[in-house]
Amino acid sequence: MGSDDASRSFNLRINISIAVVIALIVGAGMGYMAGNSPLTSLMEERDSLEAEYDSLDLAFQSLGAELDSAQESLEEERRNSALLQGRVIELGNQIELQLEAIQGYISTIQTLEDEIDELLDPSETRTIIINLIGTCIRVIDGDTFELSSGKRVRLADIDAPESYEPGYSTSTNALSALVLGVTVYLDIDEIYGTDIYGRYVCVVYGAGYANVNFALLTDGYAALDDYPNEFDPDDWETTGNLDLSEALLDTPPEPEPEPEPDPEPEPDPEPEPDPEYIYVGSIKSDKYHLPSCYWAGQINSENEIWFTSKSDAESHGYVSCNVCKP
């Protein structure tokens, strides 16, 4: 019971007591005049009133206790309601975070699907025109090999070590593993076709139509050297479809028929080399070499040009080879 309720109860008792005292005084006077019966009646009435008061007081106290209990229950419900409201807010925040995460996943999945669609879209696939199909019969070094026809192929836009440089054997073996003895598909440079040595400048595709130039480059057997030609090495990572419809077949030269032997053949005297000509160059190059130079041995006989001296070579616009240094 609260302090206000106790105060009201105390005041009620005082008021009743005062009323009883007054009644006793009046009753005493009346009893003095009329005997003891009025006093007795008043006392009995007082006792009855006190009993009723006690009953009312108990009921009041019970109601106060019930009110306190109801107030405590209401306060507990308010606290529970606040907790529940806080939990609802917390769950709402968690749901918003989950929705944001789900939206992120959806966006990422959509991006991946777009990339997949781009890869699967035939319009995004390059078409590679193959000009020549042949067979590699010999590998010269890490970027050059020979076809069965005798024509040599120079892989475009890559550079492998020369025979006198470190890594020559490793790069040569790597190219051999990709092309030697197998069918190769040549995309020949449409701007120049061949280099100064008469070699086809190509992007080469081997077994499974794999880009041989790109394989040697990515595996570290050759370095990028982007020459001016039709090719762009940045395209090599993009999937391409080989178009073989216009490709020619590289065939070995037909063997010359053996001449019928004369009854008594007379051997032709072997021509003696002219001692005056001591340097050799190629009509398709601007370098002159010693006859013993590796690069001199790479010149086709029909392209040879000989000089009697350095001044003779240089007067024709040729410069000294950096390898043999004549």
Side-chain angles (χ1 to χ4, degrees):
M1 182 183 299
S3 60
D4 292 339
D5 297 334
S7 177
R8 286 196 298 271
S9 176
F10 177 77
N11 292 333
L12 181 61
R13 286 177 177 273
I14 292 297
N15 292 334
I16 293 174
S17 298
I18 293 173
V20 170
V21 170
I22 294 172
L24 288 174
I25 294 173
V26 173
M30 295 295 293
Y32 179 76
M33 294 184 292
N36 291 331
S37 58
L39 179 60
T40 301
S41 177
L42 287 173
M43 292 180 66
E44 289 176 354
E45 185 176 356
R46 181 201 64 185
D47 292 341
S48 176
L49 290 172
E50 286 183 347
E52 290 180 7
Y53 166 77
D54 290 337
S55 176
L56 290 174
D57 185 52
L58 288 173
F60 175 76
Q61 292 181 17
S62 176
L63 289 173
E66 185 176 352
L67 176 61
D68 291 341
S69 177
Q71 289 177 337
E72 290 178 359
S73 298
L74 180 60
E75 187 64 28
E76 181 68 19
E77 289 180 0
R78 288 174 179 172
R79 285 195 298 269
N80 291 337
S81 177
L83 292 174
L84 182 59
Q85 184 177 5
R87 180 58 177 165
V88 168
I89 294 173
E90 180 183 356
L91 290 174
N93 292 335
Q94 291 180 1
I95 290 172
E96 288 182 0
L97 292 175
Q98 291 294 331
L99 287 175
E100 291 178 1
I102 290 171
Q103 290 296 330
Y105 280 111
I106 292 174
S107 177
T108 302
I109 291 171
Q110 185 61 52
T111 300
L112 292 175
E113 288 180 348
D114 292 342
E115 293 178 358
I116 291 171
D117 290 341
E118 289 179 3
L119 293 175
L120 295 178
D121 186 358
S123 64
E124 298 297 328
T125 303
R126 294 187 304 128
T127 298
I128 300 166
I129 305 298
I130 297 301
N131 309 109
L132 188 65
I133 302 174
T135 302
C136 170
I137 61 170
R138 185 163 73 98
V139 173
I140 309 302
D141 55 27
D143 55 34
T144 306
F145 63 86
E146 186 176 315
L147 299 172
S148 58
S149 64
K151 295 294 291 184
R152 293 190 176 181
V153 174
R154 176 63 165 84
L155 277 70
D157 294 336
I158 66 170
D159 192 20
E162 302 295 341
S163 59
Y164 51 86
E165 294 178 327
Y168 165 79
S169 297
T170 302
S171 63
T172 302
N173 292 335
L175 179 58
S176 298
L178 294 172
V179 301
L180 185 59
V182 302
T183 301
V184 290
Y185 305 86
L186 308 183
D187 180 8
I188 302 175
D189 175 31
E190 294 181 357
I191 298 178
Y192 299 103
T194 60
D195 64 6
I196 59 174
Y197 302 108
R199 302 174 297 184
Y200 290 131
V201 176
C202 304
V203 175
V204 179
Y205 298 88
Y209 299 153
N211 186 325
V212 176
N213 304 50
F214 187 55
L216 293 172
L217 184 64
T218 54
D219 291 340
Y221 297 114
L224 180 66
D225 198 351
D226 193 0
Y227 290 95
N229 52 44
E230 71 159 306
F231 305 115
D232 184 358
D234 291 337
D235 293 338
W236 293 350
E237 296 185 42
T238 305
T239 302
N241 291 327
L242 301 190
D243 182 355
L244 310 181
S245 61
E246 300 180 9
L248 301 176
L249 292 178
D250 178 77
T251 57
E254 294 183 1
E256 296 181 0
E258 296 182 2
E260 295 182 3
D262 294 332
E264 294 180 359
E266 294 182 2
D268 295 329
E270 293 185 4
E272 295 181 1
D274 192 341
E276 293 181 346
Y277 297 105
I278 56 177
Y279 301 108
V280 63
S282 172
I283 61 174
K284 295 188 176 183
S285 170
D286 63 349
K287 298 284 195 325
Y288 66 90
H289 315 269
L290 292 171
S292 59
C293 178
Y294 169 83
W295 295 110
Q298 306 304 310
I299 303 173
N300 292 332
S301 58
E302 63 268 20
N303 296 328
E304 291 178 351
I305 180 171
W306 290 83
F307 307 103
T308 59
S309 64
K310 292 183 178 180
S311 59
D312 181 21
E314 292 170 358
S315 68
H316 286 80
Y318 285 74
V319 297
S320 173
C321 170
N322 293 328
V323 177
C324 63
K325 296 180 174 58

